[in-house]
Amino acid sequence: AHPFRKLLLRAVGVKQEWSYLMVVVTVLGFSGFYEVLEGVVAVLVSPELGAAYLGTQGDEWDAQKDTALAFGGALLAMAVTWTADRRRRQRPY
């Protein structure tokens, strides 16, 4: 999440206040895209062995869990980053 934030701040020019939200949305988008792509590849390569290729071990909610974990990780990373940035701005130098 942190490299995405630096990229958004420096290359794209997103305002610092919006960068935290944009990172979470970007990570969620990439995670969802990857899970969809993985499922499509599994069906195209071998429809009868698709579940075995995905490595879900019988868990039909594996893709949703992976996406939720990516979302939670990005949220946690941006909460820690926001807190650190806020403390840094409040220090008198």
Side-chain angles (χ1 to χ4, degrees):
H2 195 69
F4 276 138
R5 182 168 179 267
K6 291 294 184 186
L7 181 69
L8 287 171
L9 288 171
R10 294 180 182 171
V12 180
V14 172
K15 291 183 180 183
Q16 186 168 353
E17 297 82 22
W18 283 99
S19 67
Y20 307 105
L21 175 66
M22 293 303 296
V23 166
V24 173
V25 170
T26 303
V27 168
L28 188 59
F30 273 112
S31 178
F33 175 74
Y34 176 78
E35 294 297 336
V36 168
L37 184 66
E38 187 180 40
V40 168
V41 168
V43 170
L44 290 176
V45 170
S46 179
E48 55 278 343
L49 297 175
Y53 167 77
L54 292 175
T56 60
Q57 290 93 24
D59 183 10
E60 61 187 34
W61 294 99
D62 183 64
Q64 290 83 354
K65 289 177 185 176
D66 290 347
T67 302
L69 286 171
F71 175 70
L75 214 63
L76 179 64
M78 287 301 100
V80 169
T81 303
W82 178 78
T83 304
D85 287 348
R86 194 169 149 212
R87 285 185 181 170
R88 215 175 290 125
R89 278 185 258 134
Q90 290 178 351
R91 284 189 199 155
Y93 287 97

